[in-house]
Amino acid sequence: MLVQSSRFRFLFPPIQKRIPSSLSFSVASSAMDSASPSMLFLCGKSSTESEIAKSLKINDTLNLPNGGKVSALLQSEINTFRFGEDAFNVDLFWNSLSTKRFGRFLIWSPLLPSTHDIVSHNFCELPVGTVCVADTQFKGRGRSKNAWESPRGCLMFSFTLQMEDGKTVPLVQYVVSLAVTEAIKDVCDRNGFPFIDVRIKWPNDLYLNGLKVGGILCTSTYKSKKFNVSSGIGFNVGNEKPTTCLNTVLKELSTTPNEFRREDITAAFFNKFEMLYDIFINQGFQTLEELYYRTWLHSGQRVIVQEKNEDRVVENVVTIQGLTSSGYLLAIGDDNQMCELHPDGNSFDFFKGLVRRKLE
């Protein structure tokens, strides 16, 4: 097989407009005082998870990377503070959650550097399926070590799962993305909202009306013959800047004052993810491909791949067909040569640079 470095641009105008940032605004500097311990409220849906919460608090188990301190409290202590009506409502979340594994142990924080750091740094101390939700985060993690500041109105959460087959780990981000879009559909159906068409931009961005409104980040470590996967989701629910958000679009489509609630979306996500993940593990991603391709933006998209051939730059047109078994883009050239497109690792936008590998 031949590997060639290549640059890639759209043959036709891009499907969506590029935006200067992703999910966030700046947060007041006083809120970023890393010297203050982050408050973590440990919550369980059943008595089993509630006992885990008590144990973690008593043993002072949880912490942040680089020695960051946390203050662990229980769900019963939430009402001793005044967080405002827009704080994440744990009871609303429990009322909509119907899973057997995922999301049943919840860590909620009004202000946190990063939900992803909480679950990944404390992975072995937490039950698999734990979710961490923050109302505001100021050191959120993005692709290529990018940092994001996310204000109130943005849904931010990270959760844990364990996998044994390393070949399937790169594909789990697509299951997460699909679960987000299916969750939005479910909330719309249950509440009688107009259809909101959230789409997937490969590999891990979420778009609405041509604008980015969310993103997925999955990281993993290997320990004791298992992959410990931490998956993070950020989604603009009620904060319309810097792009748009669900509630802005819903307001434009509705004749009544409806709004999406973060608690409903989070619960719907886990309800959908648990079902999709079981299909993925037991039957493979190919079982979900048809649904995924109906949701993503790229079927039939034609692009130009620029490749260096000695001292010349050669342009080849390829058409995206789908995904390969390893999770990269499958494309076909006008010469009917099949190829696999990889990100080059240098471009903020994956579609600004790809490496093409010809398939035999």
Side-chain angles (χ1 to χ4, degrees):
M1 294 184 179
L2 177 65
V3 178
Q4 297 174 299
S5 295
S6 59
R7 300 296 293 178
F8 160 24
R9 73 174 189 268
F10 289 100
L11 183 60
F12 302 118
I15 298 173
Q16 55 272 29
K17 178 182 177 182
R18 184 175 179 182
I19 58 174
S21 180
S22 94
L23 303 174
S24 58
F25 291 138
S26 61
V27 180
S29 59
S30 60
M32 299 186 186
D33 182 6
S34 59
S36 301
S38 297
M39 299 174 67
L40 302 180
F41 290 90
L42 313 181
C43 316
K45 183 169 175 62
S46 72
S47 58
T48 301
E49 292 91 18
S50 295
E51 287 301 315
I52 295 173
K54 292 177 183 177
S55 176
L56 290 171
K57 177 184 178 180
I58 291 171
N59 295 315
D60 195 21
T61 305
L62 305 180
N63 54 67
L64 288 166
N66 302 317
K69 300 297 183 181
V70 301
S71 174
L73 302 105
L74 301 179
Q75 181 178 347
S76 58
E77 299 175 86
I78 292 177
N79 291 334
T80 62
F81 299 87
R82 300 178 64 180
F83 294 113
E85 294 183 357
D86 58 346
F88 191 86
N89 189 315
V90 177
D91 288 328
L92 280 179
F93 172 68
W94 291 147
N95 290 340
S96 298
L97 187 73
S98 59
T99 61
K100 295 180 179 179
R101 290 167 293 156
F102 293 103
R104 295 179 62 88
F105 186 79
L106 167 73
I107 301 172
W108 170 67
S109 178
L111 175 67
L112 198 60
S114 165
T115 61
H116 208 84
D117 282 349
I118 288 292
V119 298
S120 61
H121 188 68
N122 300 283
F123 193 102
C124 295
E125 310 298 335
L126 299 169
V128 173
T130 292
V131 56
C132 179
V133 180
D135 288 346
T136 303
Q137 69 175 13
F138 52 88
K139 290 183 181 179
R141 294 172 61 181
R143 192 172 64 234
S144 302
K145 298 183 179 180
N146 292 311
W148 307 105
E149 298 170 1
S150 305
R152 285 180 176 270
C154 182
L155 172 59
M156 300 154 289
F157 65 95
S158 300
F159 70 100
T160 65
L161 61 151
Q162 276 189 327
M163 304 177 69
E164 296 182 356
D165 184 358
K167 293 180 180 179
T168 64
V169 171
L171 298 171
V172 76
Q173 64 181 324
Y174 306 139
V175 183
V176 174
S177 300
L178 191 55
V180 174
T181 60
E182 289 298 295
I184 300 302
K185 294 176 187 176
D186 183 68
V187 174
C188 288
D189 289 342
R190 289 176 180 272
N191 292 278
F193 294 170
F195 174 64
I196 304 292
D197 190 20
V198 177
R199 307 294 294 275
I200 298 168
K201 179 186 176 186
W202 183 86
N204 51 16
D205 287 334
L206 299 164
Y207 272 67
L208 177 59
N209 293 346
L211 297 171
K212 181 175 177 180
V213 291
I216 313 294
L217 173 69
C218 293
T219 61
S220 67
T221 57
Y222 187 69
K223 186 176 183 180
S224 301
K225 298 183 178 180
K226 291 186 178 181
F227 291 89
N228 296 335
V229 181
S230 302
S231 180
I233 294 94
F235 201 92
N236 288 357
V237 176
N239 54 315
E240 62 181 5
K241 295 181 180 180
T243 58
T244 188
C245 68
L246 282 178
N247 283 334
T248 294
V249 174
L250 180 61
K251 183 178 180 180
E252 294 170 353
L253 297 175
S254 297
T255 56
T256 55
N258 297 314
E259 282 196 343
F260 286 93
R261 298 186 301 194
R262 292 180 299 145
E263 299 86 352
D264 293 337
I265 296 174
T266 310
F269 167 82
F270 284 113
N271 295 340
K272 291 294 183 180
F273 177 79
E274 187 163 280
M275 177 190 67
L276 295 171
Y277 182 73
D278 285 345
I279 294 173
F280 169 58
I281 293 299
N282 295 321
Q283 302 177 40
F285 186 75
Q286 65 271 16
T287 312
L288 301 174
E289 280 186 345
E290 182 180 349
L291 178 60
Y292 183 83
Y293 293 148
R294 289 204 304 265
T295 310
W296 82 336
L297 291 167
H298 309 297
S299 294
Q301 183 178 342
R302 290 171 62 80
V303 295
I304 292 177
V305 178
Q306 293 182 329
E307 298 177 325
K308 288 185 177 180
N309 186 354
E310 296 181 351
D311 295 331
R312 298 184 301 117
V313 175
V314 179
E315 292 188 343
N316 293 290
V317 178
V318 298
T319 303
I320 296 173
Q321 301 291 297
L323 295 172
T324 65
S325 60
S326 55
Y328 293 110
L329 290 174
L330 176 67
I332 186 171
D334 287 347
D335 58 358
N336 291 322
Q337 171 68 55
M338 301 298 293
C339 60
E340 185 177 67
L341 303 178
H342 296 234
D344 65 1
N346 299 316
S347 302
F348 182 82
D349 186 336
F350 274 77
F351 284 82
K352 294 299 182 183
L354 293 174
V355 174
R356 181 172 79 154
R357 182 169 67 92
K358 294 181 179 179
L359 301 177
E360 300 296 340

